[in-house]
Amino acid sequence: MKIVWTDFAITNLKAIFDYYATKANKKVAHRIRKRILKSSKQLINNPNSGPMEQNLIGLKKHHRYLVSGNHKLIYRIIDNQIVINDVFDTRQNPSKMIDEKRITE
């Protein structure tokens, strides 16, 4: 299996890095980004390890998620690829997860 990050997910990961680099420091930002990227690697051998994302069930696209600290990696399995659609801060209102920008990926 191959992991593919959407542009939207990459943009969100960069925003998370920039936020922590500003609010804390770059060392913290690098640690959080590294943790998120490392957690995605488990999907290569265990693509179904994340539970179904209940907030996106209505889309019927079989979104799953992994938790990494305060963040959810939202992903789908498409053919032989694991497509990471979003990196979502779990401290946000879950209704933001179904925002138009998020569901087009």
Side-chain angles (χ1 to χ4, degrees):
M1 285 250 167
K2 178 181 174 186
I3 295 178
V4 177
W5 288 70
T6 63
D7 290 342
F8 186 73
I10 292 168
T11 299
N12 289 342
L13 184 60
K14 183 177 179 341
I16 291 164
F17 178 87
D18 292 345
Y19 173 82
Y20 283 102
T22 302
K23 295 295 182 184
N25 60 56
K26 283 196 175 190
K27 186 175 181 180
V28 170
H30 281 291
R31 186 173 59 233
I32 291 168
R33 182 177 63 187
K34 185 176 180 181
R35 182 180 62 217
I36 291 170
L37 293 171
K38 183 178 179 186
S39 68
S40 72
K41 300 289 187 214
Q42 86 176 51
L43 296 173
I44 293 169
N45 294 319
N46 299 301
N48 292 308
S49 60
M52 298 298 286
E53 175 52 65
Q54 296 301 309
N55 294 300
L56 299 175
I57 289 281
L59 298 176
K60 298 182 180 169
K61 292 189 176 182
H62 309 287
H63 287 92
R64 295 179 170 273
Y65 71 93
L66 289 180
V67 175
S68 178
N70 291 321
H71 300 93
K72 276 186 176 181
L73 276 77
I74 308 294
Y75 71 95
R76 295 186 300 150
I77 301 166
I78 302 173
D79 299 322
N80 203 28
Q81 294 183 334
I82 299 153
V83 180
I84 299 181
N85 296 93
D86 195 359
V87 182
F88 186 80
D89 189 326
T90 60
R91 296 168 291 187
Q92 296 180 77
N93 185 330
S95 66
K96 288 185 177 181
M97 200 178 293
I98 51 177
D99 177 275
E100 183 120 348
K101 290 178 188 170
R102 293 178 184 279
I103 62 175
T104 58
E105 292 287 331

